[in-house]
Amino acid sequence: MRISFILLRLTLLLFLFCNHNGKLSVRAFTGTYGINYGRTADNIPSPDEVVKLLRAAKIKNVRIYNADHSVIKAFRGTGLELVVGIPNENVKDMSANADHALNWVKDNVKAFLPDTLIVGIAVGNEVLAGNDSEVSAALLNAVKNVHNATKNLGISDAIQITTAHSQAVFANSFPPSSCIFKEDVAQLMKPLLEFFSQIGSPFCLNAYPFLAYTYDSDKIDINYALFKSNEGIYDEKPALHYDNLLDAQIDAAYAALEDAGFRKMEVVVTETGWASHGGQNEPAATVDNARTYNYNLRKRLAKKKGTPVRPKTVLKVYVFALFNEDLKQGQLSEKNYGLFKPDGRISYDIGFSGLKDSSATSSILTLKGIMVQGSYFWVFAIWVLLLL
């Protein structure tokens, strides 16, 4: 009886130790479905209300485009996993001054750990192939300085460093297997990829079948863009068939990575979505199309499968976006990607709940957040068990 008790206690100790260690790896995305929480608007709910909305919808993975402290504090103790962003306008400063990068990480990330489960830092967004060559040239050193800051602060094992790219970095993206990086982009991209390969970061892609269809509607079947029944395309070189445009866009990125010498790097989709309203030059931006795309995307992700090129690599996607953002610049569609209305109701039905009381869920998630985030949780648990 005594031996059985000891074995049981050792089993519990091993479980606690292994379970906690699993949380120490750089893992910025659990599951398959995440969302971008943009805040370029003057009519969206408070961060506390947003947390309630995310809980009700059971969305755990969230990206923000800055490090707004009101948002970070609202996520405290929730168990929701947050990626914070360094805006493009701060990239040159992060590159030029390592101390500024250290202070930024200290003030905007380390200061909130472990209470808020910050799991990643996105350094800029769509910097390469953008309009500012100075910011593009500064990106690599900014990434290095931010990563070194996490090392100096002792949090590099828990914080993944990334940057997201638009499809403008690619050339010859059709068929997918022919895709390569543009020559002028490759000069900056390859050393960046080399560093990300060293620290285990993925290639982050903003992929929009909506935009591809809008600009080439005469060549693209809208059913192919919306995950609906269609003939698809056949890529002869790898002998692969594609029944939806998003998979083809992702595999085009894999082809470019392989051409650049980074065949093993994972692609994570950091933005995709479909506008529900647009201008006269955006006729595909309708509520019905937005509902169809986002509903079928959610079903596709729930299957936990990969793409034709990487069938065993489960696809991870952050949807754009949580809300319509009425202050965004650009095309009218830019303001109308939201899955939810400003009052927290759903924009259209794809299976999510709108804003509602979720006190029971709150208690469970708060407990979970405390358990997984406490740096000394397993030490305390072992001490208690040894006293039994």
Side-chain angles (χ1 to χ4, degrees):
M1 189 72 175
R2 177 65 178 169
I3 294 176
S4 298
F5 179 75
I6 293 174
L7 288 174
L8 175 61
R9 189 162 64 182
L10 288 173
T11 300
L12 288 171
L13 293 176
L14 181 62
F15 172 78
L16 288 169
F17 181 79
C18 292
N19 191 49
H20 182 78
N21 277 353
K23 293 294 180 181
L24 290 178
S25 61
V26 182
R27 188 181 178 192
F29 201 130
T30 56
T32 61
Y33 195 99
I35 201 157
N36 287 280
Y37 171 20
R39 304 182 71 243
T40 311
D42 60 6
N43 61 352
I44 57 177
S46 69
D48 289 333
E49 290 294 295
V50 169
V51 166
K52 293 179 182 178
L53 176 61
L54 292 168
R55 287 170 168 170
K58 298 181 180 179
I59 298 175
K60 184 178 182 180
N61 304 287
V62 185
R63 290 172 61 89
I64 58 176
Y65 292 90
N66 52 31
D68 189 299
H69 288 191
S70 67
V71 175
I72 298 174
K73 290 176 182 177
F75 277 68
R76 179 184 296 156
T78 63
L80 302 176
E81 299 182 357
L82 188 64
V83 174
V84 299
I86 296 176
N88 290 3
E89 55 264 30
N90 297 130
V91 168
K92 286 198 291 184
D93 180 50
M94 295 293 163
S95 174
N97 196 315
D99 287 339
H100 288 186
L102 180 67
N103 289 333
W104 190 96
V105 175
K106 183 179 180 181
D107 295 342
N108 296 292
V109 178
K110 178 66 181 294
F112 296 97
L113 297 174
D115 297 331
T116 298
L117 193 54
I118 300 174
V119 295
I121 300 172
V123 184
N125 185 52
E126 299 187 350
V127 171
L128 299 188
N131 296 323
D132 193 326
S133 59
E134 291 185 358
V135 176
S136 295
L139 180 61
L140 174 59
N141 204 53
V143 166
K144 288 181 176 180
N145 282 344
V146 171
H147 176 68
N148 287 336
T150 64
K151 289 178 65 177
N152 291 337
L153 294 170
I155 58 174
S156 61
D157 287 340
I159 305 295
Q160 187 179 76
I161 311 298
T162 60
T163 189
H165 304 285
S166 73
Q167 291 175 286
V169 300
F170 301 130
N172 307 322
S173 58
F174 182 84
S177 63
S178 69
C179 186
I180 58 174
F181 290 112
K182 290 179 178 177
E183 186 175 350
D184 58 332
V185 171
Q187 299 172 6
L188 298 173
M189 181 68 78
K190 287 186 178 181
L192 181 66
L193 294 175
E194 181 63 40
F195 183 70
F196 278 148
S197 180
Q198 293 171 9
I199 65 174
S201 293
F203 181 85
C204 292
L205 175 67
N206 295 344
Y208 285 93
F210 166 72
L211 295 178
Y213 176 78
T214 296
Y215 298 137
D216 274 317
S217 58
D218 57 331
K219 299 177 182 177
I220 299 174
D221 180 356
I222 193 167
N223 292 328
Y224 179 62
L226 293 173
F227 301 97
K228 296 175 73 174
S229 178
N230 67 94
E231 293 183 0
I233 68 162
Y234 182 73
D235 193 340
E236 293 184 0
K237 182 179 178 181
L240 293 173
H241 180 264
Y242 290 87
D243 61 10
N244 72 84
L245 181 52
L246 181 64
D247 278 6
Q249 290 176 331
I250 296 166
D251 279 355
Y254 276 125
L257 287 170
E258 183 171 1
D259 178 73
F262 300 92
R263 183 175 59 86
K264 296 182 179 181
M265 185 170 286
E266 179 186 9
V267 174
V268 172
V269 177
T270 37
E271 287 184 20
T272 192
W274 198 285
S276 60
H277 184 57
Q280 292 184 351
N281 61 334
E282 302 171 303
T286 68
V287 171
D288 186 57
N289 285 343
R291 179 193 301 111
T292 300
Y293 181 81
N294 283 295
Y295 176 74
N296 287 336
L297 173 63
R298 193 179 179 202
K299 284 201 307 180
R300 186 246 183 274
L301 294 173
K303 295 177 182 178
K304 296 184 178 181
K305 67 175 186 177
T307 62
V309 164
R310 292 283 188 90
K312 295 183 180 179
T313 303
V314 176
L315 182 59
K316 302 170 184 176
V317 170
Y318 288 93
V319 173
F320 188 86
L322 192 58
F323 300 108
N324 291 337
E325 297 177 72
D326 65 335
L327 299 182
K328 290 200 74 171
Q329 302 297 313
Q331 297 275 8
L332 182 58
S333 60
E334 287 289 325
K335 305 173 187 284
N336 292 285
Y337 278 91
L339 299 186
F340 297 91
K341 298 179 179 180
D343 62 2
R345 292 180 298 149
I346 56 175
S347 295
Y348 39 78
D349 187 10
I350 62 169
F352 285 132
S353 300
L355 190 58
K356 62 183 181 182
D357 182 23
S358 54
S359 57
T361 306
S362 172
S363 297
I364 294 172
L365 285 173
T366 299
L367 176 59
K368 183 178 180 182
I370 292 171
M371 291 178 68
V372 301
Q373 292 178 72
S375 299
Y376 300 102
F377 169 72
W378 69 269
V379 176
F380 174 76
I382 290 174
W383 178 74
V384 171
L385 288 170
L386 288 173
L387 290 178
L388 294 177

